[in-house]
Amino acid sequence: MSRPRIVIVGAGFAGYRTARTLSRLTRHQADITLLNPTDYFLYLPLLPQVAAGILEPRRVTVSLSGSLPRVRLVLGEADGIDLDAHTLRYTGPEGGEGTLPFDRLVLAAGSVNKLLPIPGVAEHAHGFRGLPEALYLRDHVTRQVELAAAARDREECAARCTFVVVGAGYTGTEVAAHGAMYTDAQVRRHPMRTGMRPRWMLLDVAPRVLPEMDERLSVTADRVLRQRGVDVRMGTSVKEATHDGVVLTDGTTVGTRTLVWCVGVRPDPLVESLGLPMESGRLLVDPHLQVPGHPELFACGDVAAVPDLTRPGEFTPMTAQHAWRHGKVCAQNVAASLGIGERRPYRHRDLGFVVDLGGAKAAANPLGLPMSGPAAGAVTRGYHLAAMPGNRVRVAADWVLDAVLPRQAVQLGLVRSWSVPLESASPEVARVPGRPEQRDGDAVPAGGPAGAPGGDTPDQRPDPPGGEPSEQQPGGEPAKQQPGGESAKKQSGGEPARNQPGGEPAKQQPGGEPAKNQPGGEPAKNQSHAPRATGKPRPPGKSDRPGKARKPTRAAGASRSAGPGADPGPEPPENQPAPGPDIAPGPVKRTDGRTAEGDS
């Protein structure tokens, strides 16, 4: 007799705890498969410290294969679920498709960024839900301070060293608090020519900071933020975002190159495809975390609307504490459905919250006892060390080093702005060149097919305010794409590359030699004359996941949203920033025969 097959979707707080507990309970009595886009569990509460340079990225990640014995890891993202056939379709990181049969299915897909219909936000803001976004923000903030320090114009300097964070919840408050400390330390070592200092703004339509938490925590956090010079504006949000600033709902215009979107999250749209009863985008489950009418289906974490037995008529909030506890109870009930142990309902006791405000400052109310100052800081860090499933010694060592040594304020350029779009359905995965992500039937932006003039896809839109400098800056990599133009590598017909300044010819026209020394370009390396294939026919009978388009196999930079099929056209550009007030339109000819590059 074959062993029962258990498939878990997602390795966040709920999915990871479910897999770990099931591995211990079932031993070798069941086959457990964990489907996740990455090979690590991310400890989200410490992500602001990664962006601030306190912790190294790997400190907040825990290897799934190394910490989950007897669990098979499958890298990929779920595309669809057939409850009748007991199968789950998924797409691997390299575009391959697969199917996982199951006897028990646990949905713990987590959440994604919550977008609002505000003009310009999707194009110019970045979220803070994954490791790539934290690494990008760290590089971007460092770069803006360095550019502001070199700027002679006070207006440009002020815009570059102004950082706007929208959302005064748990994440936004910590990002603003840590960010202010990080930039202040940079300026102390390298003062700006104009005598200006970095300015951080925290906006929210709520009446106070941390509106979902105890008011005493809110007062403490507000006081610490204002002491650090953070401009806290409650009852205010962004009305419009542009390339060089934001317009606030009170009519104020703020020049900035940085907009961090921490408004909130929404459940992963995967569960919407099931057609089962929902509550505010979450799948309704009973107190045992089981979907009524489907004994094989369980849900926990942010995608599950779990009844709060301590507050009749309400559901547990979307917090890491609840997700972690959901995972344990869900694993026990899945095992009970296989005849191992007994079922139990989910019932919780609020242990309080902690908010790390950087340095020795924090706000905490463990077991309902309000605390602030160094005592709260010690409790906060002790709680994180106890809650982390691994890397405790490494995290503690980084904290000690940060207390006695200055931080290294350097930009590595490992994550580009177009790799972490705000509308990404998978913020934990950075989009990289060559990653197959489009298939026939994926949506095409309103401006036209991918690669057509006037149609910037999510992967190809210009950098947000103050995006990275062109890749042929001094000290940078060779530019692969002229600013504001399409790729010149594969155009045919002998026409000049479209939108290139001065109408320079394409680098790889049929019958011609590759351009080896064009300004801002790199030598063509074994490029073919035929356009690259951008997708493959979709197998019949497969539907796209609502709100989370299927990834394989599309050219890097194509749209992810669902919609009618279209010819993607020539290879899309690799998203160099469009010309703007701070971006040079391209190589400039000098009288001495050299080439002058833009500085941003």
Side-chain angles (χ1 to χ4, degrees), residues 55 60 156 181 288 337 389 445 533 588-589:
L55 298 177
V60 298
E156 178 188 354
M181 289 188 66
H288 299 90
S337 70
V588 179
K589 298 294 183 181

Side-chain angles (χ1 to χ4, degrees), residues 282-308:
R282 294 193 285 174
L283 190 63
L284 275 173
V285 298
D286 60 22
H288 299 90
L289 307 178
Q290 195 169 25
V291 177
H294 294 273
E296 78 285 359
L297 183 59
F298 295 78
C300 55
D302 290 349
V303 298
V306 182
D308 190 340

Side-chain angles (χ1 to χ4, degrees), residues 142-507:
T142 304
R143 180 185 309 112
Q144 295 309 307
V145 173
E146 292 171 349
L147 292 175
R152 298 181 181 274
D153 181 68
R154 289 186 61 86
E155 183 177 347
E156 178 188 354
C157 178
R160 290 196 180 280
C161 63
T162 297
F163 308 94
V164 179
V165 180
V166 185
Y170 184 94
T171 301
T173 299
E174 289 196 340
V175 168
H178 282 280
M181 289 188 66
Y182 180 60
T183 54
D184 284 346
Q186 280 186 271
V187 173
R188 280 195 299 270
R189 290 193 295 270
H190 304 287
M192 298 184 182
R193 295 180 183 181
T194 58
M196 303 185 70
R197 297 190 62 82
R199 175 193 182 194
W200 284 79
M201 298 182 67
L202 181 61
L203 314 176
D204 203 308
V205 295
R208 60 185 176 89
V209 175
L210 301 174
E212 71 278 7
M213 298 185 185
D214 186 272
E215 188 171 357
R216 290 169 290 188
L217 292 181
S218 174
V219 172
T220 299
D222 188 272
R223 182 178 67 252
V224 172
L225 289 171
R226 295 182 188 276
Q227 287 174 349
R228 292 196 181 143
V230 178
D231 186 357
V232 180
R233 299 193 185 187
M234 295 295 97
T236 307
S237 189
V238 173
K239 182 180 179 180
E240 181 182 0
T242 63
H243 172 77
D244 53 4
V246 293
V247 179
L248 307 184
T249 52
D250 60 5
T252 306
T253 299
V254 179
T256 182
R257 302 291 191 272
T258 308
L259 181 59
V260 187
W261 192 255
C262 301
V263 168
V265 296
R266 61 187 177 91
D268 192 296
L270 170 67
V271 295
E272 297 175 2
S273 64
L274 296 175
L276 299 175
M278 310 283 290
E279 173 63 34
S280 300
R282 294 193 285 174
L283 190 63
L284 275 173
V285 298
D286 60 22
H288 299 90
L289 307 178
Q290 195 169 25
V291 177
H294 294 273
E296 78 285 359
L297 183 59
F298 295 78
C300 55
D302 290 349
V303 298
V306 182
D308 190 340
L309 299 183
T310 63
R311 299 177 181 178
E314 298 184 17
F315 298 94
T316 59
M318 297 166 60
T319 65
Q321 278 193 26
H322 281 291
W324 188 250
R325 299 171 189 170
H326 285 176
K328 180 179 180 180
V329 175
C330 184
Q332 292 170 336
N333 291 335
V334 170
S337 70
L338 301 176
I340 305 171
E342 298 181 355
R343 293 206 314 166
R344 61 184 63 188
Y346 177 74
R347 188 184 301 271
H348 75 282
R349 179 191 175 197
D350 190 358
L351 300 179
F353 289 92
V354 294
V355 182
D356 186 359
L357 301 175
K361 301 295 181 68
N365 62 345
L367 302 177
L369 177 64
M371 303 176 66
S372 61
V379 169
T380 298
R381 296 202 168 184
Y383 168 80
H384 286 315
L385 286 180
M388 290 191 68
N391 293 344
R392 296 185 180 94
V393 174
R394 290 186 173 94
V395 169
D398 275 2
W399 284 341
V400 172
L401 292 175
D402 180 69
V404 299
L405 298 175
R407 298 180 198 173
Q408 294 177 298
V410 295
Q411 48 168 320
L412 302 178
L414 299 177
V415 180
R416 314 299 288 179
S417 64
W418 55 267
S419 300
V420 284
L422 180 62
E423 75 276 18
S424 173
S426 299
E428 67 275 18
V429 179
R431 299 183 185 181
V432 295
R435 182 170 180 236
E437 290 189 0
Q438 181 178 1
R439 57 176 67 252
D440 297 335
D442 282 351
V444 178
D456 282 334
T457 66
D459 280 350
Q460 297 169 281
R461 65 173 191 271
D463 284 348
E468 295 94 339
S470 64
E471 297 186 1
Q472 186 60 16
Q473 295 287 331
E477 298 179 358
K480 299 178 182 178
Q481 182 70 29
Q482 295 288 347
E486 294 187 6
S487 175
K489 297 181 181 178
K490 293 182 182 291
Q491 295 190 14
S492 60
E495 297 180 356
R498 287 177 286 179
N499 298 329
Q500 287 194 7
E504 296 182 7
K507 297 181 182 177

